[in-house]
Amino acid sequence: MPVRAILLLNSSPISRDTKYHCKLTVLRRRFNTSPEILRAPESTRIRESRCFSSDPTRISPKFIVPNAFQAGGFAEMVFQDVGATALVLAGSFALVSAFESLTQRNIIQQSLSRKLVHVLSGLLFMASWALFSTSTEARYFASLVPFTNCLRLLINGMSLATDERLLKSVSREGKPEELLRGPLYYVLMLIFCAIIFWRESPVGVISLAMMCGGDGVADIIGRRFGFVKLPYNQKKSWAGSISMFAFGFLISFGMLYYFSALGYYELNWTETAQRVALVSLVATAVESLPMGEVIDDNISVPLSSMITAYMTFGF
Ligand SMILES: Nc1ccn([C@@H]2O[C@H](COP(=O)(O)OP(=O)(O)OP(=O)(O)O)[C@@H](O)[C@H]2O)c(=O)n1
Ligand SMILES: C/C(=C\CO)CCC[C@H](C)CCC[C@H](C)CCCC(C)C
């Protein structure tokens, strides 16, 4: 009969994943619970000190042992992660095919198709993180999706195979070698943020939101309304940069609210708005610089966002 109780963590607000691993810690410490009940993997990333308030004796070690801890629970989590990976991977192929079809039928231009895929892929990928289990390995399952697309871009970019749908929806001019630059850096950044930051830290979410939402919308707005160019960069415009700042801020804030509403972290929204505004300002300034030939926007924008977000939010 599995142990049943409710864990009341008296510590400061912490993420849902952290609370989950704290339950594990408390179970092991207080009940000396036999391992066959605790089948869930223990996180090496969650320091026990984060599980307890300043006075560990204040912890009321009552907790519900969710199904995941019961015998076989680990298998259930693996099953959930495999299913989520298959679903999201199918979604990525469907997204590319859908925009290839729209381009093929001349419903949208190829340049707009590329940017819409740029905006939607990363944001939908982040939104899908909620489908994965609370195990430490979940992030690696999720990363298989951009990794598979990375292989797809490499194979087609080196002309080892030809996927016309991919070329039509993702390249500027239909040249295979284009896939080895912007799109490849894009999926590599998705992999990096999913593994390093995952659902535990706002840093990864903000960085990807700036790359996908901010930079993507800047291109769409800038191409259409960018008549007044920046004084130091004739290839970029005030309309593009202002829209990057605005949409980068709004989409980042929206994604943080999404993950907060799901219980992954609790944020002070006034402070968060100020911090996200600073990240958006720095990323917009970096994106506006005439260095597209030196470093791709899909590297400079998320990287500058990551550094600024890390300095303001911490991990
Ligand atoms: N701040 C910005 C950003 C983009 N643009 C417009 O959008 C176009 C493409 O912008 P860019 O971010 O450079 O996209 P690329 O990285 O070149 O294209 P892709 O992302 O498709 O590789 C620019 O030429 C410009 O017309 C703009 O006016 N102002
Ligand atoms: C055109 C792009 C970048 C250039 O600036 C974006 C390329 C996108 C990849 C080809 C596809 C990436 C798919 C995501 C990893 C997963 C999306 C899943 C979601 C459910 C649709």
Side-chain angles (χ1 to χ4, degrees), residues 60-122:
S60 347
K62 296 189 262 182
F63 44 81
I64 283 180
V65 180
N67 288 335
F69 290 123
Q70 293 165 349
F74 187 67
E76 285 167 17
M77 287 198 286
V78 170
F79 183 76
Q80 178 183 346
D81 289 334
V82 168
T85 303
L87 180 65
V88 178
L89 187 59
S92 71
F93 281 75
L95 181 81
V96 169
S97 295
F99 277 95
E100 183 276 333
S101 172
L102 292 172
T103 309
Q104 193 70 31
R105 296 176 189 166
N106 294 319
I107 295 172
I108 58 172
Q109 291 179 345
Q110 190 160 334
S111 60
L112 180 58
S113 163
R114 173 187 168 93
K115 278 307 162 183
L116 289 175
V117 172
H118 175 110
V119 171
L120 293 175
S121 295

Side-chain angles (χ1 to χ4, degrees), residues 154-274:
L154 285 170
I155 291 166
N156 284 276
M158 293 188 286
S159 299
L160 299 175
T162 304
D163 181 344
E164 288 300 333
R165 290 167 306 164
L166 186 65
L167 273 178
K168 272 262 182 223
S169 60
V170 167
S171 69
R172 285 199 200 91
E173 297 150 20
K175 295 174 184 168
E177 57 271 20
E178 287 181 56
L179 301 181
L180 301 178
R181 289 192 296 272
L184 184 63
Y185 305 144
Y186 180 97
V187 295
L188 289 174
M189 201 50 78
L190 293 179
I191 295 169
F192 180 82
C193 288
I195 290 177
I196 301 300
F197 300 107
W198 190 225
R199 301 177 298 216
E200 293 168 346
S201 164
V203 173
V205 168
I206 294 172
S207 303
L208 294 183
M210 289 310 299
M211 177 180 77
C212 304
D215 183 37
V217 172
D219 183 313
I220 295 171
I221 303 289
R223 283 180 194 271
R224 190 177 175 83
F225 304 107
F227 311 112
V228 182
K229 302 300 184 186
L230 295 175
Y232 53 88
N233 186 351
Q234 290 305 302
K235 288 185 178 178
K236 302 287 175 81
S237 65
W238 284 105
S241 293
I242 290 168
S243 57
M244 171 154 183
F245 174 80
F247 283 90
F249 174 83
L250 291 172
I251 293 171
S252 298
F253 201 84
M255 291 308 294
L256 289 179
Y257 187 80
Y258 170 77
F259 282 101
S260 176
L262 290 173
Y264 291 108
Y265 30 75
E266 291 159 10
L267 296 167
N268 175 308
W269 293 110
T270 306
E271 286 178 11
T272 297
Q274 295 162 352

